[in-house]
Amino acid sequence: MHDDLKGKTALVTGAGKKSGIGYAIAERLAACGCNIVIADLGRPPETASPVRTGTREEMETIASELGERYTVKASAVEVDVTDTASVQQMQGIVRGRCGHIHILVNNAGASFGVPADILTYDEAAWIRTVDVNLFSVFRVSRAVLPLMLGEPGVIINTASRAGKVPPLFNSAYAAAKAGVIMLTKTMAKELASRGIRVNAICPGQIRTDLEQWRFGLEASFFGGTVEEREQEMCKTIPQGRIGLPEDAAMLVAFLASEEARYITGQAINVDGGQCMEL
Ligand code: NAD
């Protein structure tokens, strides 16, 4: 555990669902003694999505359980990261409740309109996908940064292996995640002199609703069962297994801590060795 995180306040977007990476991140940070703000949609998205989103009830349950289990302050706030007014409203609520934010984790994400190649991809779904994965990082960071300045701080963005290695029939998500990696680097340069470190994590295959849905899609597209698609995938992972949300969460806690004090502008893979670039 990272003792220096004790008493810090962290806001994690897309943390309102117990099966997701965001929840694992919030739990890990709470276990390190951080006060936590769980930010999530709290309702289904306007554009139909096959992957369910965090509900208001689940967000409240998560906040009260984390607060009790780790004796930290934990609360939930509804936000649509694709809506500037909603993000501003969240910022106001968080300012009132917490004052200062030390750690911002931009983790919310989704994919719409897939699988589709570039000729058939619905334009609105393409734009919506870029909005929820990339523009959201700009939008939320810009709104929350005023609550971070004046003390050392950390921003961690959840990018993806898909931002480095092109997936098939998922171009908007891949382009958005590549954008998240570059936005991470530009923000790291701009904010270093203000004491804010900015890094991205690039998960490979992590067992969540999003991942299970993707394996289901692949199975219906390429044939076989979800289990067979998973087994095929595991053959491409040197460590031979699908990752767990906690695997990504441990990296986030490290990056948030003083142990990573000389690390900024990086996009770090957490993927069992699936992507090994120079
Ligand atoms: P998930 O679907 O379980 O979690 C996504 C969360 O984002 C949900 O809680 C959802 O409610 C929230 N969300 C969606 N739209 C939102 C909006 N408009 N406003 C606010 N919140 C919104 O998926 P996950 O696998 O836990 O994904 C978390 C992050 O990790 C995403 O950015 C995803 O792209 C990324 N990622 C996941 C994997 C994987 O293998 N699971 C791999 C690489 C990257």
Side-chain angles (χ1 to χ4, degrees):
M1 289 296 161
H2 306 281
D3 287 341
D4 59 284
L5 293 179
K6 213 175 179 134
K8 299 268 167 69
T9 301
L11 189 160
V12 187
T13 68
K17 215 170 59 163
K18 280 195 177 174
S19 55
I21 294 172
Y23 169 74
I25 292 170
E27 192 194 15
R28 188 78 188 173
L29 292 175
C32 293
C34 284
N35 300 315
I36 298 291
V37 181
I38 302 286
D40 209 306
L41 203 49
R43 55 167 174 78
E46 272 151 34
T47 309
S49 166
V51 182
R52 76 176 187 89
T53 43
T55 63
R56 179 76 220 172
E57 206 178 23
E58 194 169 4
M59 290 165 62
E60 292 292 356
T61 305
I62 288 171
S64 77
E65 284 179 3
L66 290 184
E68 228 168 89
R69 195 178 315 148
Y70 299 109
T71 333
V72 295
K73 287 183 205 150
S75 63
V77 59
E78 279 175 63
V79 66
D80 180 349
V81 296
T82 67
D83 177 348
T84 303
S86 167
V87 170
Q88 284 302 339
Q89 195 179 18
M90 172 193 77
Q91 197 255 28
I93 292 168
V94 171
R95 185 173 2 97
R97 273 187 209 161
C98 312
H100 195 85
I101 293 290
H102 303 91
I103 300 157
L104 168 64
V105 185
N106 286 305
N107 168 79
S111 205
F112 302 104
V114 288
D117 67 13
I118 202 69
L119 288 165
T120 55
Y121 210 131
D122 176 72
E123 185 176 334
W126 209 95
I127 290 168
R128 181 96 182 134
T129 301
V130 177
D131 198 359
V132 72
N133 290 289
L134 173 60
F135 298 165
S136 63
V137 177
F138 162 73
R139 206 177 268 124
V140 173
S141 300
R142 202 156 75 147
V144 174
L145 260 168
L147 308 183
M148 300 181 74
L149 295 175
E151 286 187 46
V154 183
I155 298 177
I156 297 157
N157 300 322
T158 306
S160 172
R161 162 187 158 81
K164 294 184 174 181
V165 182
L168 257 185
F169 308 134
N170 202 2
S171 55
Y173 182 79
K177 292 299 191 182
V180 170
I181 293 171
M182 185 50 78
L183 180 59
T184 299
K185 292 175 189 292
T186 53
M187 282 168 59
K189 265 201 174 177
E190 290 175 7
L191 295 170
S193 62
R194 293 173 175 252
I196 309 279
R197 292 186 294 107
V198 189
N199 289 292
I201 63 164
C202 297
Q205 321 298 326
I206 304 289
R207 194 180 299 285
T208 64
D209 294 349
L210 190 68
E211 184 67 0
Q212 290 301 297
W213 164 68
R214 220 205 65 194
F215 280 131
L217 266 185
E218 284 187 6
S220 59
F221 211 70
F222 300 114
T225 62
V226 169
E227 293 70 30
E228 283 164 351
R229 296 307 310 175
E230 266 201 35
Q231 282 162 14
E232 278 304 305
M233 183 62 81
C234 286
K235 289 182 193 160
T236 70
I237 302 172
Q239 286 191 319
R241 69 167 174 89
I242 302 294
L244 299 174
E246 296 76 36
D247 295 323
M250 284 190 276
L251 174 58
V252 170
F254 164 71
L255 287 172
S257 79
E258 264 298 288
E259 288 179 24
R261 66 188 180 188
Y262 200 50
I263 300 175
T264 196
Q266 304 306 307
I268 301 174
N269 301 333
V270 49
D271 65 354
Q274 194 181 26
C275 176
M276 293 192 193
E277 77 256 305
L278 284 178

